[in-house]
Amino acid sequence: MAKIYSKKTLVIPTMKPKKEVISFLLNYSKALSIIKGNKMSFEIIAN
């Protein structure tokens, strides 16, 4: 007979990020600017 290769999925508790991580990501996205040229694009992070 055919074997079933599926495993039981474990229940993962809801994960919530720390406030520091959210703050870092928001500040990074605010500082990032992308300049597109003819065939290239430049990513600049203004600290």
Side-chain angles (χ1 to χ4, degrees), residues 22-37:
I22 298 295
S23 176
F24 172 77
L25 291 174
L26 287 173
N27 289 335
Y28 183 82
S29 67
K30 289 177 186 176
L32 180 67
S33 62
I34 299 174
I35 301 171
K36 295 183 179 180

Side-chain angles (χ1 to χ4, degrees), residues 13-26:
T14 56
M15 297 172 50
K16 295 187 179 183
K18 294 181 181 179
K19 289 182 180 181
E20 293 86 14
V21 174
I22 298 295
S23 176
F24 172 77
L25 291 174
L26 287 173

Side-chain angles (χ1 to χ4, degrees), residues 4 7 9 13 17 21 25 32-33 36 38-41 43 45 47:
I4 298 175
K7 295 180 181 178
T9 57
V21 174
L25 291 174
L32 180 67
S33 62
K36 295 183 179 180
N38 293 336
K39 295 182 180 180
M40 298 185 301
S41 63
E43 297 177 0
I45 300 174
N47 287 336

